[in-house]
Amino acid sequence: HNVLMRIVDSVSTAHKTDAELIAAVTRGARNAFADIVRRYEAVVASTVIGMLGAGDAAEEAGQVAMIKIYNGLDRFRADSSFKTYVTRIAMNTALDELRRRKRFLSRFFTRADSDAADPIDDIPASDNVAGNLEQRQLVLNALNQLKPEFRSVAVLRLMQGYSTAEVAAILNLSEGTVFSRLSRARQHLKAALESEIYDE
């Protein structure tokens, strides 16, 4: 019976709901998790890149997040959407990496100049780069200047389009705190983007 269920699971999982895919994974259908990855890799990627910037750290965090998602499937309870659950794991993984980075940097920087210890990568300008890609890089650079507590709200609300209630659920905050941090994040982003555009 178990073997038969695996054969049925392996025929096609792409059309299944999240709950069906999760059930298939817990029954041992390996390809069902591949479908979960395909369905949610963009969500994970945009979360970790928004928090860490593009590069090896974000790629590694994305892989770690996927492993955590896989390992936690049997504990997932549908009290929130699976997308919210995935985003929460990706966000927490990125925040863990930022904390690890801060601890590492604190060995080399005094408290006074720790604010300068999170450098923004210098992306060389190129005439043949598409405008929207250039704008996206400007936004990512500006996000990288925000403190993690503001960056996380901005990534989820402004870049990924989650509602205030969803952001509050993902970050385990009150909606009032989300509003407050989002307001601060918008101010910082506006100032940072203006300085990037006009400070040439």
Side-chain angles (χ1 to χ4, degrees):
H1 182 261
N2 220 13
V3 173
L4 182 60
M5 287 305 297
R6 288 187 191 191
I7 292 169
V8 171
D9 285 335
S10 68
V11 173
S12 176
T13 55
H15 67 282
K16 292 189 174 182
T17 65
D18 290 341
E20 288 170 335
L21 286 176
I22 292 164
V25 173
T26 56
R27 283 200 303 267
R30 293 176 186 173
N31 63 313
F33 188 68
D35 282 322
I36 289 175
V37 170
R38 276 191 290 274
R39 193 171 288 181
Y40 288 104
E41 63 187 345
V43 171
V44 171
S46 62
T47 302
V48 296
I49 290 171
M51 293 302 293
L52 303 172
D56 291 345
E59 194 172 322
E60 188 174 330
Q63 291 169 0
V64 170
M66 284 299 185
I67 291 167
K68 288 180 179 177
I69 291 162
Y70 178 81
N71 289 337
L73 282 181
D74 58 344
R75 294 189 301 276
F76 173 67
R77 300 290 173 264
D79 51 350
S80 63
S81 76
F82 189 62
K83 184 181 179 185
T84 297
Y85 173 78
V86 165
T87 306
R88 185 184 296 129
I89 288 177
M91 179 60 72
N92 286 339
T93 303
L95 289 169
D96 285 345
E97 169 59 21
L98 286 174
R99 282 189 285 268
R100 187 200 63 75
R101 193 181 291 179
K102 188 175 179 182
R103 284 196 303 272
F104 177 77
L105 289 169
S106 69
R107 299 177 190 174
F108 303 100
F109 294 89
T110 64
R111 280 189 79 82
D113 52 29
S114 63
D115 284 345
D118 191 16
I120 299 166
D121 291 332
D122 242 352
I123 309 295
S126 171
D127 292 335
N128 59 11
V129 173
N132 61 347
L133 188 62
E134 228 166 86
Q135 287 168 5
R136 182 173 171 78
Q137 192 58 58
L138 283 176
V139 171
L140 288 173
N141 284 350
L143 278 169
N144 204 35
Q145 296 178 55
L146 298 179
K147 290 182 177 177
E149 60 265 32
F150 301 122
R151 197 184 312 174
S152 57
V153 171
V155 166
L156 294 174
R157 187 75 181 89
L158 303 179
M159 290 184 70
Q160 295 187 256
Y162 283 100
S163 69
T164 301
E166 288 169 328
V167 174
I170 290 166
L171 297 175
N172 199 25
L173 298 171
S174 71
E175 289 188 35
T177 301
V178 171
F179 273 122
S180 169
R181 290 186 183 182
L182 184 61
S183 175
R184 292 276 299 280
R186 283 182 194 273
Q187 291 169 10
H188 289 308
L189 281 172
K190 186 172 183 288
L193 285 169
E194 283 174 352
S195 71
E196 290 246 11
I197 292 165
Y198 298 116
D199 187 20
E200 294 179 347

